[in-house]
Amino acid sequence: MVQVRVNEGLLEGERVDNHYGGSFYSFKGIPYAQPPVGDLRFKAPLPPKSWDGVRSAKEFGPKSFQNDILMKTGLVGDEDCLYLNVYTPEVKPDKPLPVMFWIHGGGFYCGSGNDDLYGPEFLIRHDVILVTINYRVDVLGFLCLDTEDIPGNAGMKDQVQALRWVNKNIASFGGDPKNITIFGESAGGSSVSYHLISPMSKGLFKRAIAQSGVSTCAWAQAIEPRERALALAGSLGFYSEDDKELYEFFKNQPKESLVGVQCPVATFEAFKGGLDIYFNVANEKKFGDNERFFYGDMLDVISNSIHEGVEIMMGSTTEEGLISYADSEDIMKTLKLAKVYPEYFVNKLVAFSLPLKQQLKIGKEVRKFYFNDQINVPDDWDKLINFTSMQNFVYPERQWAKHCAQAKKHKLFLYKFSCKTERNFIAKMRGMTEMLGNREVTCHADELPYLFNFKMMPTKLDTTSETFQLMERLMKLWTNFAKYGNPTPDDSLGAKWAPYTLENQEYLDIGNELKAGTAPDAEETQFWDKLYEKYGL
């Protein structure tokens, strides 16, 4: 049992024995904001209220209310969800410890910072403090009416409020508020890259790691958010377009009506079917003195407004695109669509920007590049995955890196994660084992079990195994960066990771061996560069 005092009162956590060596102190379910319920639904979070006496910090707070179709848990969580967790090796260390602030993924519609996926047992061994958070997701976190009552980005403002709380209170847990690294994966990775350019986040962190997601990804940007909100209202039987009436309607809806709803606003969205991300980060309009999380032209903001003095790491896995499909049957269905309809190869940002005639031209160019115009079902699933990986994840990341590098103000480290061990299980979990055959892949999110203790992988790891040594190496890269701003400050890992430059495009291949290289995926990247330039994208 251990107690610490934060601004709001006294917290009681616990000392936990670590199966992988030593022990750590755990503080769970700490409120970092007031419950966003009633009149606070859709609003920016308010600072938490104080409490009397000792508050127990031994149980997780509720997840954001969500329909978790990734983990197939159905409706779980609560609107009262703004809680975070702090794990520290030592409450009173000899000198303040670096802080790693984790932002979970889940497509902006599901997930949490709890230890079912993000157990601290591995990272905590490297003398860092780990903070994990919950934030509002789906409609409750990202509905946007472009009005003062519902301006959008409530879930991102939750993340900012959590960061503000950590800055004020982390010293009580032995942490250094001047050395905070934010890191996240997928929607969490794109969140990290948004914090790098958000005026609300400036000064709240020193370093940032964006894993498999950046703000330039089409799925991370809200497109026609007001139309999306109207479509949601219509699906619930409400057809007014009056701002106040809409606000009152959404504010008074039962939470069960507001999550997991399919909200296409164009025929091509409905035609594609399947899972889509409808509620995400909006380009906010100005209302009075309200803080805006993000606004402006995306590429212009990245080129000119990344917070000065922040060091950055970003990267992706080798087969990111597998996550875009529900299972192998979904991949085969998509191959058949792509064979007939070239506009399949156009993402949502392009579809809302260009007329159909140009979309068809782009689609045909993409299909020719990846398939040479001959799509064979089922044999060409790997070509489809190459395309999906590049369009949805890799090329947006390269765009982000290049626009960042043009300013020559930031040290940026680029990586590709290609490790293959029994820890790579996402594609298998999604029912693709038979399709993959003997081929080993590194799917979207496959790096996470190398950093965190996944409860769904119950077998305790042998710390002398080759797999654990690969995990230790990855954790060392991440925690070195958090400590020093350099993932390879010495030669102990056997490779030197050079910062990215426009001239050489340096990166590190993090596979079963470490390999430094330049200009990753050069042919594909050049194809997309020319395509975007040709069509003014």
Side-chain angles (χ1 to χ4, degrees), residues 18 266 304 513:
N18 191 347
N304 299 300
E513 297 178 8

Side-chain angles (χ1 to χ4, degrees), residues 236-283:
L236 298 172
F238 188 79
Y239 295 98
S240 171
E241 293 193 24
D242 180 85
D243 291 346
K244 289 297 179 185
E245 289 180 4
L246 280 163
Y247 171 59
E248 290 299 323
F249 172 77
F250 283 125
K251 187 176 77 170
N252 293 298
Q253 280 296 297
K255 61 183 184 293
E256 291 80 6
S257 299
L258 296 176
V259 301
V261 183
Q262 298 288 297
C263 285
V265 296
T267 51
F268 80 88
E269 290 184 316
F271 173 69
K272 280 188 177 182
L275 170 66
D276 209 339
I277 298 172
Y278 295 112
F279 298 95
N280 37 29
V281 183
N283 193 331

Side-chain angles (χ1 to χ4, degrees), residues 508-532:
L508 186 70
D509 185 337
I510 307 173
N512 293 50
E513 297 178 8
L514 295 182
K515 297 177 183 176
T518 56
D521 312 298
E523 185 184 357
E524 278 186 89
T525 303
Q526 288 167 12
F527 167 77
W528 286 94
D529 280 341
K530 290 174 182 175
L531 190 74
Y532 273 50

Side-chain angles (χ1 to χ4, degrees), residues 122-417:
F122 301 148
L123 282 170
I124 206 77
R125 298 166 65 253
H126 291 266
D127 293 321
V128 295
I129 289 178
L130 176 65
V131 178
T132 66
I133 68 168
N134 296 347
Y135 57 92
R136 283 172 283 179
V137 296
D138 207 324
V139 172
L140 294 167
F142 293 93
L143 184 70
C144 174
L145 266 180
D146 281 336
T147 63
E148 188 169 4
D149 285 321
I150 310 182
N153 298 336
M156 302 306 297
K157 294 166 188 174
D158 293 343
Q159 296 176 17
V160 172
Q161 172 57 24
L163 265 172
R164 288 172 175 170
W165 189 95
V166 167
N167 272 263
K168 288 178 184 175
N169 292 290
I170 202 64
S172 298
F173 301 88
D176 183 356
K178 295 180 180 177
N179 188 6
I180 296 172
T181 297
I182 60 172
F183 69 134
E185 186 270 344
S186 194
S190 64
S191 295
V192 165
S193 72
Y194 270 112
H195 287 297
L196 282 161
I197 54 179
S198 169
M200 290 182 70
S201 310
K202 190 172 185 177
L204 294 177
F205 58 93
K206 187 173 185 177
R207 301 183 176 109
I209 307 173
Q211 302 170 213
S212 300
V214 287
S215 60
T216 39
C217 294
W219 51 262
Q221 301 178 49
I223 301 166
E224 300 294 338
R226 182 177 171 85
E227 289 301 316
R228 196 79 62 190
L230 293 174
L232 173 62
S235 73
L236 298 172
F238 188 79
Y239 295 98
S240 171
E241 293 193 24
D242 180 85
D243 291 346
K244 289 297 179 185
E245 289 180 4
L246 280 163
Y247 171 59
E248 290 299 323
F249 172 77
F250 283 125
K251 187 176 77 170
N252 293 298
Q253 280 296 297
K255 61 183 184 293
E256 291 80 6
S257 299
L258 296 176
V259 301
V261 183
Q262 298 288 297
C263 285
V265 296
T267 51
F268 80 88
E269 290 184 316
F271 173 69
K272 280 188 177 182
L275 170 66
D276 209 339
I277 298 172
Y278 295 112
F279 298 95
N280 37 29
V281 183
N283 193 331
E284 275 186 74
K285 295 186 175 176
K286 181 67 175 170
F287 300 102
D289 294 328
N290 284 3
E291 287 185 288
R292 287 188 285 176
F293 178 76
F294 172 77
Y295 55 91
D297 176 80
M298 179 64 72
L299 294 178
D300 179 63
V301 171
I302 295 168
S303 297
N304 299 300
S305 301
I306 299 173
H307 306 324
E308 288 192 29
V310 177
E311 294 142 336
I312 305 165
M313 258 173 64
M314 63 173 49
S316 50
T317 68
T318 48
E319 282 85 20
E320 292 278 4
L322 282 166
I323 200 70
S324 304
Y325 305 97
D327 49 34
S328 53
E329 186 179 330
D330 190 23
I331 291 175
M332 296 312 146
K333 181 178 124 185
T334 303
L335 274 174
K336 291 173 184 175
L337 278 176
K339 189 171 185 173
V340 179
Y341 302 104
E343 67 267 37
Y344 167 78
F345 294 100
V346 173
N347 72 27
K348 196 178 292 189
L349 282 177
V350 175
F352 277 95
S353 302
L354 297 179
L356 181 59
K357 190 172 184 179
Q358 283 189 297
Q359 292 178 45
L360 291 171
K361 287 181 179 178
I362 291 171
K364 287 176 181 176
E365 287 191 48
V366 174
R367 188 165 63 186
K368 183 174 180 59
F369 179 82
Y370 281 93
F371 296 91
N372 198 24
D373 276 339
Q374 297 294 320
I375 298 181
N376 298 306
V377 184
D379 297 341
D380 285 346
W381 65 265
D382 55 342
K383 295 177 183 177
L384 180 68
I385 299 308
N386 288 345
F387 155 73
T388 309
S389 298
M390 185 60 67
Q391 184 191 60
N392 291 354
F393 298 97
V394 180
Y395 185 69
E397 167 206 293
R398 304 291 158 76
Q399 271 186 307
W400 211 103
K402 286 180 179 179
H403 280 269
C404 172
Q406 281 171 356
K408 296 186 177 180
K409 293 180 180 178
H410 300 86
K411 191 180 285 187
L412 184 149
F413 296 90
L414 185 71
Y415 73 84
K416 281 182 73 170
F417 183 78

